[in-house]
Coordinates of all heavy atoms in Angstrom, one line a residue:
M1 N -69.5 89.8 66.4 CA -69.5 88.6 65.7 C -69.6 87.4 66.7 O -69.0 87.5 67.7 CB -68.2 88.5 64.9 CG -68.1 87.2 64.1 SD -66.8 87.2 62.9 CE -67.4 88.4 61.8
A2 N -70.3 86.4 66.3 CA -70.6 85.3 67.2 C -69.7 84.1 67.0 O -70.0 83.0 67.2 CB -72.1 84.9 67.0
F3 N -68.4 84.4 66.6 CA -67.5 83.3 66.4 C -66.1 83.7 67.0 O -65.6 84.8 66.8 CB -67.3 83.1 64.9 CG -66.3 82.0 64.5 CD1 -66.8 80.7 64.5 CD2 -65.0 82.2 64.3 CE1 -66.0 79.7 64.2 CE2 -64.2 81.2 64.0 CZ -64.6 79.9 63.9
T4 N -65.6 82.8 67.8 CA -64.3 83.0 68.4 C -63.4 81.8 68.0 O -63.8 80.6 68.4 CB -64.4 83.1 69.9 OG1 -65.2 84.2 70.2 CG2 -63.0 83.4 70.5
P5 N -62.3 82.0 67.4 CA -61.4 80.8 67.0 C -60.8 80.2 68.3 O -60.7 80.9 69.3 CB -60.3 81.4 66.2 CG -60.8 82.8 65.8 CD -61.8 83.2 66.8
L6 N -60.5 78.9 68.2 CA -59.9 78.2 69.3 C -58.4 78.1 69.2 O -57.9 78.2 68.0 CB -60.5 76.8 69.4 CG -61.9 76.7 69.8 CD1 -62.4 75.2 69.7 CD2 -62.3 77.3 71.1
H7 N -57.7 78.0 70.3 CA -56.2 77.8 70.3 C -55.5 78.8 69.5 O -55.6 80.0 69.8 CB -55.9 76.4 69.9 CG -56.7 75.4 70.7 ND1 -56.6 75.2 72.0 CD2 -57.7 74.5 70.3 CE1 -57.4 74.2 72.4 NE2 -58.1 73.8 71.4
D8 N -54.7 78.4 68.5 CA -53.8 79.3 67.8 C -54.4 79.6 66.4 O -53.7 79.8 65.4 CB -52.4 78.8 67.7 CG -52.3 77.5 66.9 OD1 -53.4 76.8 66.8 OD2 -51.2 77.1 66.4
R9 N -55.7 79.6 66.3 CA -56.4 79.9 65.0 C -56.8 81.4 64.9 O -57.0 82.0 65.9 CB -57.6 79.0 64.8 CG -57.1 77.5 64.5 CD -58.3 76.6 64.2 NE -57.8 75.3 63.9 CZ -57.4 74.4 64.7 NH1 -57.3 74.7 66.0 NH2 -57.0 73.2 64.3
V10 N -56.8 81.8 63.6 CA -57.1 83.2 63.3 C -58.2 83.3 62.3 O -58.2 82.6 61.3 CB -55.8 83.9 62.8 CG1 -56.1 85.4 62.5 CG2 -54.7 83.8 63.8
L11 N -59.2 84.2 62.5 CA -60.2 84.4 61.5 C -59.9 85.7 60.8 O -59.6 86.7 61.4 CB -61.6 84.6 62.2 CG -62.8 84.7 61.3 CD1 -63.1 83.4 60.6 CD2 -64.0 85.1 62.2
V12 N -59.8 85.6 59.4 CA -59.4 86.8 58.6 C -60.4 87.1 57.5 O -61.1 86.2 57.0 CB -58.0 86.7 58.0 CG1 -57.0 86.5 59.1 CG2 -57.9 85.5 57.0
R13 N -60.5 88.3 57.0 CA -61.3 88.7 55.9 C -60.3 89.2 54.8 O -59.4 90.0 55.1 CB -62.2 89.9 56.3 CG -63.0 90.5 55.1 CD -63.8 91.7 55.5 NE -64.7 91.5 56.6 CZ -64.6 92.2 57.8 NH1 -63.7 93.1 58.0 NH2 -65.5 91.9 58.7
R14 N -60.4 88.6 53.6 CA -59.5 89.0 52.5 C -59.7 90.5 52.2 O -60.8 91.0 52.2 CB -59.8 88.2 51.3 CG -59.4 86.7 51.3 CD -59.7 86.1 50.0 NE -59.6 84.7 50.1 CZ -58.5 84.0 49.8 NH1 -57.4 84.6 49.5 NH2 -58.5 82.7 49.9
V15 N -58.6 91.1 51.8 CA -58.6 92.5 51.4 C -58.6 92.5 49.9 O -57.8 91.8 49.3 CB -57.4 93.3 51.9 CG1 -57.4 94.7 51.4 CG2 -57.4 93.3 53.4
E16 N -59.6 93.1 49.3 CA -59.7 93.1 47.8 C -58.5 93.8 47.2 O -58.1 94.9 47.6 CB -61.0 93.7 47.3 CG -62.3 92.9 47.8 CD -62.3 91.5 47.2 OE1 -61.9 91.3 46.0 OE2 -62.6 90.6 48.0
S17 N -58.0 93.2 46.1 CA -56.9 93.8 45.4 C -57.4 94.9 44.4 O -58.6 94.9 44.0 CB -56.1 92.7 44.6 OG -56.9 92.1 43.7
D18 N -56.5 95.7 43.9 CA -56.8 96.7 42.9 C -57.3 96.1 41.6 O -56.9 95.0 41.2 CB -55.6 97.6 42.6 CG -55.2 98.4 43.8 OD1 -56.1 98.7 44.7 OD2 -54.0 98.8 43.9
E19 N -58.2 96.8 40.9 CA -58.7 96.3 39.6 C -57.8 96.8 38.5 O -58.1 96.5 37.3 CB -60.1 96.8 39.4 CG -61.0 96.1 40.5 CD -62.5 96.4 40.2 OE1 -62.8 97.0 39.1 OE2 -63.3 96.1 41.1
K20 N -56.8 97.7 38.8 CA -55.9 98.2 37.7 C -54.5 97.8 38.1 O -54.1 97.7 39.2 CB -56.0 99.7 37.6 CG -57.2 100.2 36.9 CD -57.2 101.6 36.5 CE -56.5 102.6 37.4 NZ -56.6 104.0 37.1
T21 N -53.7 97.6 37.0 CA -52.2 97.4 37.2 C -51.6 98.8 37.5 O -52.2 99.8 37.3 CB -51.6 96.7 36.0 OG1 -51.7 97.6 34.9 CG2 -52.2 95.4 35.7
A22 N -50.3 98.8 37.8 CA -49.6 100.0 38.0 C -49.5 100.8 36.7 O -49.4 102.0 36.7 CB -48.2 99.7 38.5
G23 N -49.6 100.2 35.6 CA -49.5 100.8 34.3 C -50.9 101.4 33.8 O -51.0 102.0 32.8
G24 N -52.0 101.1 34.6 CA -53.3 101.6 34.3 C -54.2 100.7 33.5 O -55.3 101.0 33.1
L25 N -53.7 99.4 33.3 CA -54.6 98.4 32.6 C -55.6 97.8 33.6 O -55.2 97.5 34.7 CB -53.7 97.3 32.0 CG -52.7 97.8 31.0 CD1 -51.9 96.6 30.6 CD2 -53.4 98.3 29.8
Y26 N -56.8 97.6 33.2 CA -57.8 97.0 34.0 C -57.7 95.5 33.9 O -57.5 94.9 32.9 CB -59.2 97.4 33.6 CG -59.6 98.8 34.0 CD1 -59.3 99.9 33.1 CD2 -60.1 99.0 35.3 CE1 -59.6 101.1 33.6 CE2 -60.3 100.3 35.7 CZ -60.1 101.4 34.8 OH -60.4 102.6 35.2
I27 N -57.8 94.8 35.1 CA -57.7 93.3 35.2 C -59.1 92.8 35.1 O -59.9 93.1 36.0 CB -56.9 92.9 36.4 CG1 -55.6 93.6 36.5 CG2 -56.8 91.4 36.5 CD1 -54.9 93.4 37.8
P28 N -59.4 91.9 34.2 CA -60.7 91.3 34.1 C -60.9 90.3 35.3 O -59.9 89.8 35.9 CB -60.7 90.5 32.8 CG -59.3 90.3 32.5 CD -58.5 91.4 33.1
E29 N -62.1 90.2 35.8 CA -62.5 89.3 36.9 C -61.9 87.9 36.8 O -61.5 87.3 37.7 CB -64.0 89.3 37.1 CG -64.4 88.8 38.4 CD -64.1 89.7 39.6 OE1 -64.0 90.9 39.5 OE2 -63.8 89.1 40.7
S30 N -62.0 87.4 35.6 CA -61.5 86.0 35.3 C -60.0 85.8 35.5 O -59.5 84.7 35.7 CB -62.0 85.5 33.9 OG -61.4 86.4 32.9
A31 N -59.3 86.9 35.4 CA -57.8 86.8 35.4 C -57.3 87.1 36.8 O -56.1 86.9 37.1 CB -57.2 87.8 34.4
K32 N -58.1 87.6 37.7 CA -57.7 87.9 39.1 C -57.4 86.7 39.9 O -58.1 85.7 39.8 CB -58.8 88.8 39.8 CG -58.8 90.2 39.4 CD -59.8 90.9 40.3 CE -60.1 92.3 39.8 NZ -61.1 92.9 40.7
E33 N -56.4 86.8 40.7 CA -56.1 85.8 41.7 C -56.7 86.2 43.0 O -56.9 87.4 43.3 CB -54.6 85.6 41.9 CG -54.0 84.9 40.8 CD -52.5 84.5 41.1 OE1 -52.2 84.5 42.3 OE2 -51.8 84.3 40.1
K34 N -57.1 85.3 43.9 CA -57.6 85.7 45.2 C -56.4 86.4 46.0 O -55.3 85.9 45.9 CB -58.0 84.4 46.0 CG -59.3 83.8 45.4 CD -59.8 82.7 46.3 CE -61.1 82.2 45.8 NZ -61.6 81.1 46.6
P35 N -56.8 87.4 46.6 CA -55.7 88.2 47.3 C -55.1 87.4 48.5 O -55.8 86.6 49.1 CB -56.4 89.4 47.8 CG -57.9 89.1 47.8 CD -58.1 88.1 46.8
A36 N -53.8 87.6 48.8 CA -53.2 87.0 49.9 C -53.0 87.9 51.0 O -52.2 87.7 51.9 CB -51.8 86.4 49.4
E37 N -53.7 89.1 51.0 CA -53.7 90.0 52.1 C -55.0 89.9 52.8 O -56.1 89.7 52.2 CB -53.5 91.4 51.6 CG -52.2 91.7 51.0 CD -52.1 93.2 50.6 OE1 -52.8 94.0 51.1 OE2 -51.3 93.4 49.6
A38 N -55.0 90.1 54.1 CA -56.3 90.0 54.9 C -56.2 90.9 56.1 O -55.1 91.3 56.6 CB -56.5 88.6 55.3
E39 N -57.4 91.2 56.7 CA -57.5 91.8 57.9 C -57.9 90.8 59.0 O -58.9 90.0 58.7 CB -58.5 93.0 57.8 CG -58.8 93.7 59.1 CD -59.9 94.7 59.1 OE1 -60.5 94.9 58.0 OE2 -60.2 95.3 60.1
V40 N -57.3 90.8 60.1 CA -57.6 89.9 61.2 C -58.9 90.3 61.9 O -59.0 91.5 62.3 CB -56.5 89.8 62.2 CG1 -56.8 88.9 63.4 CG2 -55.2 89.3 61.6
I41 N -59.9 89.4 61.9 CA -61.2 89.7 62.5 C -61.2 89.2 64.0 O -61.7 90.0 64.9 CB -62.3 89.0 61.7 CG1 -62.2 89.4 60.3 CG2 -63.6 89.3 62.4 CD1 -62.4 90.9 60.0
A42 N -60.7 88.0 64.2 CA -60.7 87.5 65.6 C -59.6 86.5 65.8 O -59.1 85.9 64.8 CB -62.0 86.8 65.9
V43 N -59.1 86.4 67.0 CA -58.0 85.4 67.2 C -58.3 84.6 68.5 O -59.1 85.0 69.3 CB -56.6 86.2 67.5 CG1 -56.2 86.9 66.3 CG2 -56.7 87.1 68.7
G44 N -57.7 83.4 68.5 CA -57.9 82.5 69.6 C -57.0 82.9 70.8 O -56.3 83.9 70.7
E45 N -57.0 82.2 71.9 CA -56.2 82.6 73.0 C -54.7 82.3 72.9 O -53.9 82.8 73.6 CB -56.7 82.0 74.3 CG -56.7 80.5 74.3 CD -57.2 79.8 75.6 OE1 -57.8 80.6 76.4 OE2 -57.0 78.6 75.7
G46 N -54.4 81.4 72.0 CA -53.0 81.0 71.8 C -52.8 79.5 72.0 O -53.7 78.8 72.6
A47 N -51.7 79.0 71.5 CA -51.4 77.5 71.7 C -50.8 77.3 73.1 O -50.5 78.3 73.8 CB -50.3 77.1 70.7
R48 N -50.7 76.1 73.5 CA -50.2 75.7 74.8 C -49.0 74.8 74.7 O -49.0 73.9 73.8 CB -51.3 75.0 75.7 CG -52.4 75.9 76.0 CD -53.1 75.5 77.3 NE -54.1 76.4 77.6 CZ -54.0 77.5 78.5 NH1 -52.8 77.7 79.1 NH2 -55.0 78.3 78.7
K49 N -48.0 75.0 75.5 CA -46.8 74.2 75.5 C -47.2 72.9 76.2 O -48.3 72.8 76.8 CB -45.7 74.8 76.3 CG -45.2 76.1 75.7 CD -44.1 76.6 76.6 CE -43.5 77.9 76.0 NZ -42.5 78.5 76.9
D50 N -46.4 71.9 76.2 CA -46.6 70.6 76.8 C -46.8 70.8 78.3 O -47.5 70.0 79.0 CB -45.5 69.6 76.6 CG -45.4 69.1 75.1 OD1 -46.5 69.2 74.4 OD2 -44.4 68.7 74.6
S51 N -46.2 71.8 78.9 CA -46.3 72.1 80.3 C -47.6 72.7 80.6 O -47.9 72.9 81.8 CB -45.1 73.0 80.8 OG -45.2 74.2 80.1
G52 N -48.4 73.1 79.6 CA -49.7 73.8 79.9 C -49.6 75.3 79.8 O -50.6 76.0 79.9
E53 N -48.4 75.8 79.7 CA -48.2 77.3 79.6 C -48.7 77.8 78.3 O -48.5 77.3 77.3 CB -46.7 77.6 79.8 CG -46.4 79.1 79.8 CD -44.8 79.3 79.9 OE1 -44.1 78.4 80.2 OE2 -44.4 80.4 79.6
L54 N -49.4 79.0 78.4 CA -50.0 79.6 77.2 C -49.0 80.3 76.4 O -48.2 81.1 77.0 CB -51.1 80.5 77.6 CG -51.9 81.2 76.5 CD1 -52.8 80.1 75.8 CD2 -52.9 82.2 77.1
I55 N -48.9 80.1 75.1 CA -48.1 80.9 74.2 C -49.0 82.0 73.6 O -49.9 81.7 72.8 CB -47.5 80.0 73.1 CG1 -46.7 78.8 73.6 CG2 -46.6 80.8 72.1 CD1 -46.3 77.8 72.6
P56 N -48.7 83.3 73.9 CA -49.6 84.3 73.4 C -49.5 84.5 71.9 O -48.5 84.2 71.3 CB -49.1 85.6 74.1 CG -47.7 85.3 74.6 CD -47.6 83.8 74.7
M57 N -50.6 85.0 71.3 CA -50.7 85.2 69.9 C -49.9 86.4 69.5 O -49.8 87.4 70.2 CB -52.1 85.4 69.4 CG -53.0 84.2 69.7 SD -52.7 82.8 68.7 CE -53.6 83.3 67.2
S58 N -49.3 86.4 68.3 CA -48.5 87.5 67.8 C -49.3 88.5 67.0 O -48.9 89.6 66.7 CB -47.4 87.0 66.8 OG -46.5 86.1 67.5
V59 N -50.5 88.1 66.6 CA -51.4 89.0 65.9 C -52.7 89.3 66.7 O -53.0 88.6 67.7 CB -51.9 88.4 64.5 CG1 -50.7 88.2 63.6 CG2 -52.6 87.1 64.7
K60 N -53.3 90.4 66.4 CA -54.5 90.8 67.1 C -55.6 91.3 66.1 O -55.2 91.6 64.9 CB -54.2 91.9 68.1 CG -53.7 93.2 67.6 CD -53.3 94.1 68.6 CE -52.7 95.4 68.1 NZ -51.7 95.3 67.1
A61 N -56.8 91.4 66.5 CA -57.9 91.9 65.6 C -57.5 93.3 65.1 O -57.0 94.1 65.9 CB -59.2 91.9 66.4
G62 N -57.7 93.5 63.8 CA -57.4 94.7 63.2 C -56.1 94.8 62.4 O -55.9 95.6 61.6
D63 N -55.2 93.8 62.7 CA -53.9 93.7 62.0 C -54.1 93.4 60.5 O -55.0 92.6 60.2 CB -53.0 92.7 62.6 CG -52.4 93.1 63.9 OD1 -52.5 94.3 64.3 OD2 -51.8 92.2 64.6
K64 N -53.3 93.9 59.6 CA -53.3 93.5 58.2 C -52.1 92.5 58.1 O -51.0 92.7 58.5 CB -53.0 94.7 57.3 CG -54.0 95.8 57.4 CD -55.1 95.6 56.6 CE -56.0 96.8 56.6 NZ -57.4 96.6 56.4
V65 N -52.4 91.4 57.5 CA -51.5 90.3 57.4 C -51.3 89.8 55.9 O -52.2 90.0 55.1 CB -51.8 89.1 58.3 CG1 -51.8 89.5 59.7 CG2 -53.2 88.5 57.9
L66 N -50.2 89.1 55.7 CA -50.0 88.4 54.4 C -49.9 86.9 54.7 O -49.3 86.5 55.7 CB -48.7 88.9 53.8 CG -48.3 88.4 52.4 CD1 -49.2 89.0 51.4 CD2 -46.9 88.8 52.1
F67 N -50.6 86.1 53.9 CA -50.6 84.7 54.2 C -50.3 83.9 52.9 O -50.4 84.5 51.8 CB -51.9 84.2 54.8 CG -53.1 84.5 53.9 CD1 -53.6 83.6 53.0 CD2 -53.8 85.7 54.1 CE1 -54.7 83.9 52.3 CE2 -54.9 86.0 53.3 CZ -55.4 85.1 52.4
G68 N -50.0 82.6 53.0 CA -49.7 81.8 51.8 C -50.9 81.6 50.9 O -52.0 81.6 51.4
K69 N -50.6 81.3 49.7 CA -51.6 81.2 48.7 C -52.6 80.1 49.0 O -53.8 80.3 48.7 CB -51.0 80.9 47.3 CG -51.9 80.9 46.1 CD -51.1 80.8 44.8 CE -52.1 81.0 43.7 NZ -51.4 81.0 42.4
W70 N -52.2 79.0 49.5 CA -53.1 77.9 49.8 C -53.5 77.7 51.3 O -53.9 76.7 51.7 CB -52.5 76.6 49.3 CG -52.1 76.7 47.9 CD1 -50.9 76.7 47.3 CD2 -53.0 76.7 46.7 NE1 -50.9 76.9 46.0 CE2 -52.2 76.9 45.6 CE3 -54.4 76.7 46.6 CZ2 -52.7 77.0 44.3 CZ3 -54.9 76.8 45.3 CH2 -54.1 76.9 44.2
S71 N -53.3 78.8 52.0 CA -53.5 78.7 53.5 C -55.0 78.9 53.8 O -55.7 79.6 53.1 CB -52.7 79.9 54.2 OG -51.4 79.7 54.0
G72 N -55.3 78.3 54.9 CA -56.7 78.5 55.5 C -57.8 77.7 54.9 O -57.6 77.0 53.9
T73 N -58.9 77.8 55.6 CA -60.1 77.1 55.2 C -61.2 78.2 55.1 O -61.4 79.0 56.0 CB -60.5 76.1 56.3 OG1 -59.5 75.1 56.4 CG2 -61.8 75.3 55.9
E74 N -61.9 78.1 53.9 CA -63.0 79.1 53.7 C -64.2 78.7 54.6 O -64.6 77.6 54.6 CB -63.4 79.2 52.2 CG -62.3 79.8 51.4 CD -62.6 79.9 49.9 OE1 -63.7 79.5 49.5 OE2 -61.8 80.5 49.2
V75 N -64.7 79.7 55.3 CA -65.9 79.5 56.1 C -66.9 80.7 55.9 O -66.5 81.8 55.4 CB -65.6 79.4 57.6 CG1 -64.8 78.2 57.9 CG2 -64.9 80.6 58.1
T76 N -68.2 80.5 56.1 CA -69.1 81.5 56.0 C -69.6 81.8 57.5 O -70.2 80.9 58.1 CB -70.3 81.1 55.1 OG1 -69.8 80.8 53.8 CG2 -71.3 82.3 55.0
V77 N -69.5 83.1 57.9 CA -69.9 83.5 59.2 C -70.8 84.7 59.1 O -70.3 85.7 58.5 CB -68.7 83.8 60.1 CG1 -69.2 84.3 61.5 CG2 -67.8 82.6 60.3
D78 N -72.0 84.6 59.6 CA -72.9 85.8 59.4 C -73.1 86.2 58.0 O -73.2 87.4 57.6 CB -72.5 87.0 60.3 CG -72.5 86.7 61.7 OD1 -73.2 85.8 62.2 OD2 -71.8 87.4 62.5
G79 N -73.1 85.2 57.0 CA -73.3 85.5 55.6 C -72.1 86.1 54.9 O -72.2 86.5 53.8
E80 N -70.9 86.1 55.6 CA -69.7 86.7 55.0 C -68.7 85.6 54.8 O -68.4 84.8 55.7 CB -69.2 87.8 55.9 CG -68.0 88.5 55.4 CD -67.6 89.6 56.3 OE1 -68.1 89.7 57.4 OE2 -66.7 90.4 55.9
E81 N -68.0 85.6 53.6 CA -67.0 84.6 53.3 C -65.7 85.0 54.0 O -65.2 86.1 53.7 CB -66.7 84.6 51.8 CG -67.9 84.0 51.0 CD -68.0 82.5 51.2 OE1 -67.0 81.8 51.3 OE2 -69.1 82.0 51.2
L82 N -65.2 84.2 54.9 CA -64.0 84.5 55.7 C -63.1 83.3 55.6 O -63.4 82.2 55.1 CB -64.3 84.8 57.1 CG -65.3 85.9 57.4 CD1 -65.7 86.0 58.9 CD2 -64.7 87.2 57.0
L83 N -61.8 83.4 56.1 CA -60.9 82.3 56.1 C -60.5 82.1 57.6 O -60.3 83.1 58.4 CB -59.6 82.7 55.4 CG -59.6 82.6 53.9 CD1 -58.3 83.2 53.4 CD2 -59.8 81.2 53.4
I84 N -60.3 80.9 58.0 CA -59.8 80.5 59.3 C -58.5 79.7 59.0 O -58.4 78.9 58.2 CB -60.8 79.8 60.2 CG1 -60.3 79.7 61.6 CG2 -61.1 78.4 59.6 CD1 -61.3 79.3 62.6
M85 N -57.4 80.1 59.8 CA -56.1 79.5 59.6 C -55.4 79.5 60.9 O -55.7 80.2 61.8 CB -55.3 80.2 58.5 CG -55.0 81.7 58.8 SD -54.1 82.5 57.5 CE -55.4 82.7 56.3
K86 N -54.3 78.7 60.9 CA -53.4 78.7 62.1 C -52.5 79.9 62.0 O -52.3 80.4 60.9 CB -52.6 77.4 62.1 CG -53.4 76.2 62.5 CD -52.4 75.1 62.9 CE -53.2 74.0 63.6 NZ -52.9 74.0 65.0
E87 N -52.1 80.4 63.2 CA -51.2 81.6 63.2 C -50.0 81.3 62.4 O -49.4 82.2 61.8 CB -50.9 81.9 64.6 CG -50.1 83.2 64.7 CD -49.7 83.5 66.1 OE1 -49.5 82.6 67.0 OE2 -49.6 84.7 66.4
S88 N -49.5 80.1 62.4 CA -48.3 79.7 61.7 C -48.4 79.9 60.1 O -47.4 79.9 59.4 CB -47.8 78.3 62.0 OG -48.8 77.4 61.7
D89 N -49.7 79.9 59.6 CA -49.9 80.1 58.2 C -49.7 81.5 57.8 O -49.6 81.9 56.6 CB -51.3 79.7 57.8 CG -51.5 78.1 57.9 OD1 -50.4 77.4 57.8 OD2 -52.6 77.7 58.0
I90 N -49.7 82.5 58.7 CA -49.5 83.9 58.4 C -48.0 84.1 58.2 O -47.2 83.8 59.1 CB -50.1 84.7 59.6 CG1 -51.6 84.5 59.6 CG2 -49.7 86.2 59.4 CD1 -52.2 85.2 60.8
L91 N -47.7 84.8 57.1 CA -46.3 85.0 56.8 C -45.7 86.3 57.4 O -44.5 86.4 57.7 CB -46.1 85.1 55.2 CG -46.6 83.9 54.5 CD1 -46.6 84.2 53.0 CD2 -45.9 82.7 54.8
G92 N -46.6 87.3 57.6 CA -46.1 88.5 58.3 C -47.2 89.6 58.4 O -48.3 89.4 57.8
L93 N -46.9 90.6 59.1 CA -47.7 91.8 59.3 C -47.4 92.8 58.2 O -46.3 93.0 57.8 CB -47.6 92.4 60.7 CG -47.9 91.5 61.8 CD1 -47.5 92.2 63.1 CD2 -49.4 91.3 61.9
I94 N -48.5 93.5 57.7 CA -48.3 94.6 56.8 C -48.5 95.9 57.6 O -49.6 96.1 58.2 CB -49.3 94.5 55.6 CG1 -49.1 93.2 54.9 CG2 -49.2 95.7 54.7 CD1 -50.2 92.9 53.9
S95 N -47.5 96.8 57.5 CA -47.7 98.0 58.3 C -48.2 99.2 57.4 O -48.4 99.1 56.3 CB -46.4 98.5 58.9 OG -45.3 98.4 58.0

């Protein structure tokens, strides 16, 4: 991929949610919400303290993460819809 986020930004690809509920009902496309789960594609080098010291990133490419509903900015990279957000917008890692 020809895109590298700067500073403490993270590039993620949304993970598609199931089309059925746990009870077996199919969810129509119009009723689906955008998933809040994603796979990390690329990360920046990290933020810097006032002293110039680098704060390393907590996530790495390949991690599965959960993020807030209104987090990130939608971007198109190589024809693919992705999200770019600050590391602080990520709520946690999914194991």
Side-chain angles (χ1 to χ4, degrees):
M1 178 166 295
F3 183 84
T4 303
L6 296 176
H7 308 293
D8 63 339
R9 288 186 175 75
V10 180
L11 184 69
V12 300
R13 177 187 302 122
R14 288 184 194 267
V15 176
E16 293 302 319
S17 60
D18 294 334
E19 295 186 10
K20 284 194 324 186
T21 64
L25 298 174
Y26 285 94
I27 302 169
E29 194 67 33
S30 60
K32 281 187 187 178
E33 288 189 19
K34 289 187 176 180
E37 291 181 27
E39 177 184 358
V40 176
I41 304 299
V43 297
E45 64 180 9
R48 293 207 179 262
K49 296 181 182 178
D50 290 338
S51 64
E53 183 183 344
L54 184 67
I55 302 169
M57 299 289 278
S58 300
V59 296
K60 62 186 178 309
D63 285 348
K64 301 277 188 209
V65 296
L66 185 69
F67 58 91
K69 187 173 186 176
W70 306 109
S71 299
T73 301
E74 292 182 354
V75 295
T76 302
V77 179
D78 295 337
E80 185 177 7
E81 292 288 325
L82 302 171
L83 282 173
I84 190 164
M85 62 183 70
K86 288 196 164 251
E87 184 184 30
S88 60
D89 290 338
I90 295 174
L91 303 174
L93 295 170
I94 301 172
S95 47

